Every structure is written in structure tokens, then in C-alpha cells.
Amino acid sequence: MRIPCPYCGARSSHEFAYLGDAAPTRPDPSAPDAAEAFHSYVYERDNPAGPMDELWYHSAGCRRWLKVTRDTRTHAITAVAFAGTGEGGR
């Protein structure tokens, strides 16, 4: 699988470290239900078939975090941008 880095161009997935689903947000540790919320955040994840936003770190390249939209059935990548910025837009 090749990932089109907005800075470095298309590179092998071996140059990247996979973090996972880009959707979950870290719970508030001071919330009354923090223990249950953190359990869900860490252990309960969906495993969808189809397009999914994922976080990948380009460890052997520009060392930037990327938000990659990838179809989990075919591994086809439809969009890539720098995580948290919206830049890149491939």
C-alpha cells in the first residue's frame, strides 16, 4: 500500500506508523464518569467495513501526522491531509 504524503509524495506504508481511527476524542479526566469513559475510549472501537478516517505518522519521512481516508475493504486511499490542519488535501 502506498500513502500519498502531502509533503513527501507517494510512499510505501512501511514508512508510516498506524495509530488508528481518527474519530475518537479523549474524555475529560475530571468528569464524574471518567473511568467508564476512558474504558470505552481505550477498549471499545468500531471495526467498520468501508471508508474510514485514520491517523498515520510519517516516521521515515517528514515526521508529520496525516489524516488518511481509506476504504478498509480495498485499502483504496481517497483523501490525505495533515492532521489537525486540513492542509494537504490529496
Side-chain angles (χ1 to χ4, degrees):
M1 184 170 69
R2 295 184 61 80
I3 299 174
C5 175
Y7 187 79
C8 303
R11 298 289 191 262
S12 169
S13 62
H14 292 74
E15 291 189 10
F16 296 83
Y18 175 75
L19 177 66
D21 188 356
T25 55
R26 189 177 173 90
D28 179 6
S30 62
D33 65 340
E36 184 178 321
F38 270 98
H39 180 274
S40 295
Y41 173 74
V42 172
Y43 296 109
E44 297 173 8
R45 299 291 173 107
D46 291 331
N47 190 17
M52 180 175 172
D53 289 334
E54 303 171 327
L55 293 173
W56 291 76
Y57 178 66
H58 197 177
S59 57
C62 62
R63 298 185 183 187
R64 299 274 310 257
W65 281 99
L66 306 177
K67 181 178 174 185
V68 176
T69 303
R70 180 178 68 91
D71 190 313
T72 60
R73 296 168 297 194
T74 64
H75 297 292
I77 294 173
T78 56
V80 178
F82 293 122
T85 65
E87 296 175 31
R90 283 196 177 179

